[in-house]
Amino acid sequence: MKPFSIGLQIFLLLPCLIFGRTTVNFPNLSDDDGLLKFPDDLMIGVSTSAYQTEGAWDIDGKSPSNWDEYTHVKNFTPNADIACDSYHKYKEDIKLAANANFKFFRMSLSWSRILPTGSLENINYDAINHYKKVLNEVKKQGMIPFVTLYHWDHPAIFDKFGGWNSEKMIIAFNNYAQVVFKNFASIVKFWTTINEPIAYCYYEHGKGFLPPGDTFEGRGPYICGQNMLIAHAQVYHLFKKKYNNYNPNSQIGIVNACWNFYPANSSESESAVIAFQYNCGWLSNPIFSKKGDYPDIMKQRIKENSYLEGLSTSRLPELSKSMIKLIKGTSDYFGLNYYTSRMTNNVKKSQSEKWFDDSGVDMTINNEWPMDVAAWLPIVPEGLGDMLRIIKNKYKNPPVYILENGIASDGNRYDLERTKYFYSHMKEMLIAKNRDDCNVKAYVVWSLLDSFEWVARYSQPFGIVHVDHNSPHRTRTPKTSYYWLKDMIHQRALPSTFITPLHPPKIIYWNGTEI
Ligand code: GBH
């Protein structure tokens, strides 16, 4: 029996709140109805993360991160010791992004570079200087840097005390954030504290798929989620109190991965609503809902399941009144990573494994949905539009930054599938914004480069730029989707139907200057 195999569910889970659950039938669109124009307040950007691209794993004072240690112990071949070598090739990357007309450049910082021992006594100024150069280069190339403090890599030493399963991590994160803000808050005005806490907690502490590789099923993901939530909230308040004025109109928030859910059976809609709460709602409710706290359904069902297992307390830790207060409202925007959706079914209440999945909801993939090469990623563009409408209705129409959206497609430079994916998702996003008044402020593509895809290594290339991982130069070559996005951003509108781009793309080899 797996008391917490819901993890998969949780993660795979998603939403559909009462209001937004129904699929909307779109009217016939034409170019001139304005729905497919990019309004002036919408920024289009591109995203990367430190561990997935930087390499230089032991250079200039960096200590091993949790991921370095894990990939070395597990003998990952290939690993991310060099990755895309962006530590050295950052100017090329930034120029590539700028030349595609992106306005936002999302990146994360390597904690183990900046605080190699995890302690404030050893600030690594080589790392600080490196990131100053990177951030200034982003601005010099006309883009706005959008910085994630934590995209899953931390000094390996923290795993000795249990990583995010320990409250010590909250203090460690505060220390790290303080150093980062002190040094970069005058350069950067858009911040994210933690990328996809639930994905990390589920895969790390639920399944042991990620470093340090220990499973702590049952309670682990919930404890990890709570520690991250509190760490996030404290860092939000730290920023507002001490660093908000370093830059006018600074913003700081968190980013959650939300998938959309559709009931498999037309006779009920509850399963999709519950799925939303276990996935998107789990850490969004405490921040964005009026009442704060975890969703009631999670509190009820996890407690009930814990008792069934003979435990005397719920595996979901409680948030005290003061914690609820501390956490509520701690995000200046709703950070959303959207990739995919699932169908949902209620599972009959029994002592069966599925019910013990904590949610009582099962998930499947609709076999009419086209599949990506990544097996977890059926392509469901309407899920993005529906999710935006749910967020609008459920959380009082907060500004939404879509901070990741993309597919792995294949390694081909003529990446028609990826280009179509962007078209269909951007179309949904524009309709949600222009027709339904969803307050979307940014759409950020995942990802600039074919990078290290965590446990999938390099087998799932998400880049709009191909990286030759067999070459010591890690040669970059823009794909068809890169040129397509460049054109769309320039035109600031999508055509009413997808126009297949010409094959092959203009450039075969990017040498860092010409494009
Ligand atoms: C994003 O997470 C990450 O933020 C980003 O770093 C990553 O590159 C991107 O996804 C693309 O993968 O193979 O069945 O074990 C999205 C959430 C969590 C989805 C891990 C895939 C592995 C599923 N991801 N999950 S499986």
Side-chain angles (χ1 to χ4, degrees):
M1 162 174 338
K2 293 187 286 169
F4 189 75
S5 57
I6 191 192
L8 184 59
Q9 307 292 331
I10 282 179
F11 183 63
L12 302 178
L13 270 162
L14 249 243
C16 258
L17 237 218
I18 302 167
F19 309 98
R21 222 215 78 239
T22 38
T23 314
V24 174
N25 295 318
F26 299 122
N28 287 333
L29 298 168
S30 66
D31 278 336
D32 57 4
D33 65 11
L35 287 186
L36 300 186
K37 295 212 168 82
F38 300 1
D40 291 345
D41 67 342
L42 178 74
M43 287 184 284
I44 311 290
V46 69
S47 189
T48 63
S49 92
Y51 192 69
Q52 294 180 270
T53 59
E54 283 181 354
W57 77 279
D58 61 349
I59 289 195
D60 295 341
K62 179 180 170 300
S63 73
S65 70
N66 53 335
W67 273 93
D68 292 315
E69 194 136 302
Y70 185 73
T71 54
H72 294 162
V73 170
K74 297 262 173 190
N75 214 357
F76 269 39
T77 323
N79 59 25
D81 288 2
I82 300 175
C84 304
D85 201 18
S86 293
Y87 185 77
H88 297 111
K89 294 173 80 88
Y90 68 90
K91 282 196 181 163
E92 238 185 83
D93 295 344
I94 292 166
K95 194 150 186 18
L96 269 166
N99 279 349
N101 300 323
F102 290 114
K103 279 283 162 276
F104 248 42
F105 189 84
R106 178 176 181 238
M107 53 181 270
S108 74
L109 305 175
S110 160
W111 190 341
S112 58
R113 248 183 236 297
I114 293 174
L115 289 181
T117 62
S119 154
L120 284 177
E121 278 160 29
N122 301 93
I123 299 172
N124 178 8
Y125 285 98
D126 282 350
I128 304 280
N129 290 335
H130 169 75
Y131 284 124
K132 276 197 178 142
K133 282 192 271 169
V134 174
L135 292 164
N136 284 324
E137 184 69 19
V138 171
K139 292 176 98 165
K140 197 173 127 201
Q141 292 293 333
M143 293 184 293
I144 299 167
F146 195 116
V147 174
T148 304
L149 290 175
Y150 182 72
H151 200 123
W152 305 354
D153 55 315
H154 55 250
I157 197 164
F158 294 152
D159 284 347
K160 304 250 181 312
F161 60 70
W164 284 103
N165 267 153
S166 163
E167 287 176 19
K168 287 186 191 159
M169 206 63 176
I170 301 175
I171 300 164
F173 189 62
N174 269 271
N175 289 341
Y176 164 57
Q178 190 182 311
V179 175
V180 169
F181 293 152
K182 211 167 171 177
N183 285 284
F184 306 120
S186 53
I187 314 178
V188 176
K189 61 200 254 182
F190 289 96
W191 296 94
T192 288
T193 53
I194 300 179
N195 180 66
E196 297 187 2
I198 297 177
Y200 179 86
C201 289
Y202 169 62
Y203 281 97
E204 182 193 24
H205 291 291
K207 287 283 153 194
F209 288 172
L210 308 183
D214 312 323
T215 56
F216 188 21
E217 290 204 10
R219 285 183 199 272
Y222 299 136
I223 292 172
C224 168
Q226 180 144 316
N227 286 336
M228 283 193 175
L229 194 56
I230 294 168
H232 153 79
Q234 289 185 352
V235 164
Y236 176 92
H237 291 298
L238 168 77
F239 184 82
K240 290 289 161 189
K241 206 161 133 200
K242 288 179 73 176
Y243 304 99
N244 205 35
N245 298 332
Y246 276 41
N247 227 319
N249 307 320
S250 291
Q251 298 191 27
I252 179 163
I254 194 166
V255 53
N256 278 314
C258 298
W259 299 6
N260 202 28
F261 295 106
Y262 297 95
N265 187 333
S266 58
S267 68
E268 61 90 18
S269 55
E270 184 203 38
S271 62
V273 176
I274 295 173
F276 171 88
Q277 295 294 21
Y278 272 78
N279 181 282
C280 201
W282 174 8
L283 297 187
S284 300
N285 252 47
I287 298 174
F288 295 97
S289 73
K290 201 164 157 225
K291 199 168 99 174
D293 205 352
Y294 297 125
D296 287 340
I297 188 84
M298 284 186 78
K299 289 179 18 182
Q300 271 163 29
R301 291 200 169 178
I302 298 168
K303 192 197 267 175
E304 208 176 313
N305 282 311
S306 305
Y307 291 170
L308 280 174
E309 290 157 24
L311 300 168
S312 56
T313 53
S314 175
R315 283 182 279 98
L316 180 70
E318 245 177 60
L319 285 173
S320 66
K321 278 206 177 113
S322 61
M323 282 178 189
I324 291 175
K325 203 166 151 223
L326 175 90
I327 295 163
K328 217 163 60 169
T330 54
S331 202
D332 297 334
Y333 56 84
F334 193 106
L336 170 69
N337 288 355
Y338 176 83
Y339 285 91
T340 189
S341 294
R342 289 289 185 274
M343 308 293 285
T344 53
N345 260 309
N346 283 317
V347 178
K348 224 171 137 233
K349 188 170 176 179
S350 73
Q351 299 271 337
S352 78
E353 191 177 308
K354 285 294 181 204
W355 181 247
F356 276 104
D357 274 356
D358 276 348
S359 68
V361 172
D362 192 17
M363 262 158 238
T364 53
I365 289 176
N366 182 337
N367 53 23
E368 282 169 20
W369 289 335
M371 292 301 297
D372 178 38
V373 300
W376 56 274
L377 213 169
I379 299 169
V380 195
E382 64 273 23
L384 175 59
D386 288 340
M387 174 55 58
L388 291 169
R389 288 180 278 275
I390 291 171
I391 292 169
K392 174 188 165 191
N393 291 323
K394 186 167 168 48
Y395 299 125
K396 296 222 160 71
N397 210 9
V400 175
Y401 296 157
I402 300 168
L403 293 174
E404 288 182 26
N405 179 236
I407 53 168
S409 180
D410 54 24
N412 198 330
R413 278 185 48 238
Y414 185 50
D415 57 344
L416 209 47
E417 286 313 313
R418 177 175 292 102
T419 311
K420 275 191 209 153
Y421 180 98
F422 289 138
Y423 173 80
S424 57
H425 286 74
M426 288 171 94
K427 188 169 181 175
E428 286 285 342
M429 179 266 300
L430 289 171
I431 292 167
K433 180 167 172 65
N434 294 335
R435 187 192 65 188
D436 302 331
D437 296 323
C438 296
N439 196 9
V440 186
K441 296 286 188 198
Y443 173 87
V444 180
V445 163
W446 183 271
S447 179
L448 179 65
L449 303 174
D450 286 346
S451 356
F452 178 75
E453 265 306 319
W454 311 113
V455 283
R457 280 78 151 173
Y458 298 95
S459 67
Q460 294 177 2
F462 275 76
I464 56 170
V465 173
H466 175 267
V467 177
D468 183 354
H469 287 283
N470 295 317
S471 152
H473 306 296
R474 297 297 190 274
T475 312
R476 275 89 163 127
T477 313
K479 302 180 189 177
T480 296
S481 56
Y482 171 96
Y483 295 105
W484 182 87
L485 284 160
K486 180 180 161 111
D487 283 351
M488 294 305 126
I489 302 171
H490 177 70
Q491 288 169 23
R492 292 201 69 81
L494 295 180
S496 54
T497 52
F498 181 69
I499 301 162
T500 306
L502 293 178
H503 177 230
K506 300 166 254 184
I507 280 219
I508 306 191
Y509 173 70
W510 160 256
N511 67 9
T513 53
E514 163 204 4
I515 194 129

